[in-house]
Amino acid sequence: MEPPVSKAPDSSLMRRRSRAFAMLIALAVGIVVCYLLAAPFLPALTWALVLATLFHPLHRRISKDLRYREVAAAVAVAIAVLIVALPVSLLAERLVNEAAKGAQIIADALRTGSWREALADYPRVAQAFLWIETQLDIAGVAGNAATMLTNFSASFVRGSLTQVVDVILTFYFLFYFLRDGREALMALKHFSPLSSEEMDKLFARVKDTVHAIVFGTFAVAALQGTLGGLMFWFLGLPSPLLWGVAMGVLAVVPVLGAFIVWIPGALWLALSGEWVKALILIGWGAGVVATVDNLLYPMLVGERLKLHTLLAFMSMIGGIIVFGPSGLVIGPVVLTVTLLLFEFWRDHVRVIGR
C-alpha cells in the first residue's frame, strides 16, 4: 500500500495568513503610535471622561428639552465649569494668598528669634534647642525656610497658569464626549471582538469604577476636611472653616493632602509657644486624618469595585506613579477592565472545552 501523498500547502491560504500577520503587525504599530500621540493629552482625556460620566445624567435631561445636540452639550459643559472649575480656581487663589501670609509670619518669627521666648517655660526643650542652635546656623535655616515657602507659593501660581491649557482641553474634550458619546460607544462595540453583551458589561464596569473613585475620593476628603477643621476650631486657630475646606480640597489632589495645611498650623502654634496644642495637632493629623486617607479610601473604593483592599490600593498608588495624578482613575479602571477580560476569557475557554 502506497503512503499517502502529502498535499502542497494551499497558496491562497498562505497568502491570507501572511496578509493577516502583516495586518496584525501594522495594527500593533498603529496602536503604539496612537498611544504616543494621545499621551500628552492623557490627563485631560482622563478628567474629561470622569466629568462626562458624572454629568451624563444631567446632559441627558438637558437633551430632552433642547433640540440641538451641540447646544445641549454646551449647556452641560457650562454647568460643569460653574460647578467644578470656578469654585476650585477661586479657592486656589485664596489658599495661595493665605499661604503667602502664613509663610511671611513664620519667616518673621524665625528671623527675630521670638521662638526662644516661647521655650522659656520648657527648660529641657530650651537646652535641646540651644544645643541645636550651636550646631546649626538657625538664621540660615530660617532664611532658607522662608525662601522655600515663598518659592512654593510662586511656583504654585505659575503651575496653575501653565495648566490652564490642560483645563481648557478637559472641557473641550468633555463637550465632544457628551455630544458624541453614544456614537463613540457604538463604534467601540462595532470594532471590538467582544460580544454586545460583554461590551455592555465592560462599559458598566468602567462607569461603576469611575463613580466608586469619585465617591470614595470626595467622601474621604470631606471627612478629612471636617476632622481637620474641627481640630483647628478646638485649638483656637484662625479661620477653621476656610482651612477645613482647604484640607478637604487638598485631600482630593493626588500626592498632596491635608498635611499641607496642618503641618504649618502646628509649626505656627509651636512658634507661638503653644507646644501642647502643636503636639495635639501633629498627633491628630498624623494619627487620625492621615489614617482616614490611607485606610478608609481603599476600603470604600475596593468594596464598591468588589476588589480586595490591597489590590485597590496598589492600583491607585501604582497608577499615580506611572501616569501622574490622572493615574488615580486610570489605575483602577485598567485593573477592573483587565480582571473583567480575564472573566470573559475564562467563559470562552469553558465554552470551547465543552
Side-chain angles (χ1 to χ4, degrees):
M1 185 175 181
E2 296 181 357
V5 179
S6 60
K7 296 183 180 179
D10 189 358
S11 58
S12 61
L13 178 61
M14 293 295 293
R15 285 197 300 269
R16 286 197 299 270
R17 290 179 176 176
S18 300
R19 187 177 181 181
F21 183 70
M23 290 178 63
L24 183 62
I25 294 178
L27 179 61
V29 173
I31 291 175
V32 173
V33 173
C34 289
Y35 171 78
L36 294 177
L37 293 174
F41 306 99
L42 196 58
L45 287 170
T46 301
W47 300 122
L49 175 62
V50 171
L51 292 176
T53 304
L54 297 178
F55 284 91
H56 174 69
L58 175 64
H59 175 255
R60 185 170 52 190
R61 293 182 181 180
I62 295 175
S63 300
K64 294 179 180 178
D65 299 328
L66 297 178
R67 179 178 179 182
Y68 298 101
R69 295 189 307 165
E70 292 81 2
V71 177
V75 171
V77 170
I79 294 175
V81 170
L82 293 176
I83 293 178
V84 178
L86 188 60
V88 171
S89 62
L90 294 176
L91 181 61
E93 182 180 0
R94 178 70 183 275
L95 288 178
V96 169
N97 293 332
E98 293 295 333
K101 293 179 183 178
Q104 188 61 41
I105 293 174
I106 293 174
D108 292 341
L110 289 172
R111 290 194 187 98
T112 58
S114 59
W115 56 273
R116 296 191 187 95
E117 299 177 0
L119 297 177
D121 297 332
Y122 305 92
R124 294 185 179 180
V125 178
Q127 291 178 1
F129 271 84
L130 182 62
W131 180 83
I132 294 175
E133 186 177 13
T134 58
Q135 300 296 322
L136 300 175
D137 182 11
I138 298 296
V141 172
N144 292 334
T147 302
M148 181 184 67
L149 291 172
T150 304
N151 291 338
F152 177 78
S153 299
S155 65
F156 183 83
V157 175
R158 289 196 301 269
S160 62
L161 292 176
T162 56
Q163 292 172 1
V164 168
V165 175
D166 286 337
V167 174
I168 294 175
L169 286 175
T170 297
F171 289 101
Y172 176 75
F173 294 146
L174 176 62
F175 172 81
Y176 289 103
F177 283 173
L178 293 175
R179 193 193 71 172
D180 304 324
R182 181 178 300 178
E183 289 77 4
L185 295 180
M186 294 302 295
L188 287 175
K189 280 187 176 182
H190 176 72
F191 289 105
S192 174
L194 301 176
S195 64
S196 179
E197 293 78 11
E198 290 173 336
M199 288 300 296
D200 289 337
K201 189 175 181 180
L202 186 65
F203 294 151
R205 185 66 62 88
V206 172
K207 180 180 178 181
D208 292 341
T209 301
V210 173
H211 278 288
I213 294 170
V214 173
F215 169 78
T217 299
F218 281 94
V220 173
L223 182 58
Q224 285 185 285
T226 302
L227 293 173
L230 287 175
M231 183 52 66
F232 269 49
W233 170 78
F234 177 76
L235 296 176
L237 286 166
S239 305
L241 179 60
L242 171 65
W243 293 117
V245 173
M247 282 184 274
V249 172
L250 290 172
V252 175
V253 182
V255 180
L256 299 181
F259 70 91
I260 298 294
V261 175
W262 62 259
I263 286 181
L267 180 59
W268 184 81
L269 287 172
L271 293 174
S272 302
E274 302 288 346
W275 287 92
V276 176
K277 291 184 178 181
L279 292 175
I280 291 175
L281 183 56
I282 292 174
W284 183 261
V288 178
V289 178
T291 303
V292 167
D293 185 25
N294 296 328
L295 295 181
L296 187 59
Y297 180 72
M299 288 175 145
L300 283 175
V301 177
E303 183 178 355
R304 295 197 63 183
L305 296 180
K306 298 180 177 58
L307 289 175
H308 191 275
T309 303
L310 180 60
L311 291 177
F313 176 79
M314 291 176 62
S315 65
M316 290 180 288
I317 301 301
I320 293 173
I321 294 174
V322 175
F323 298 103
S326 57
L328 181 68
V329 177
I330 298 175
V333 167
V334 170
L335 178 61
T336 53
V337 169
T338 303
L339 294 177
L340 185 60
L341 292 177
F342 271 117
E343 292 181 13
F344 293 159
W345 174 259
R346 181 193 59 191
D347 295 339
H348 283 292
V349 170
R350 288 179 179 177
V351 171
I352 295 174
R354 290 178 182 176

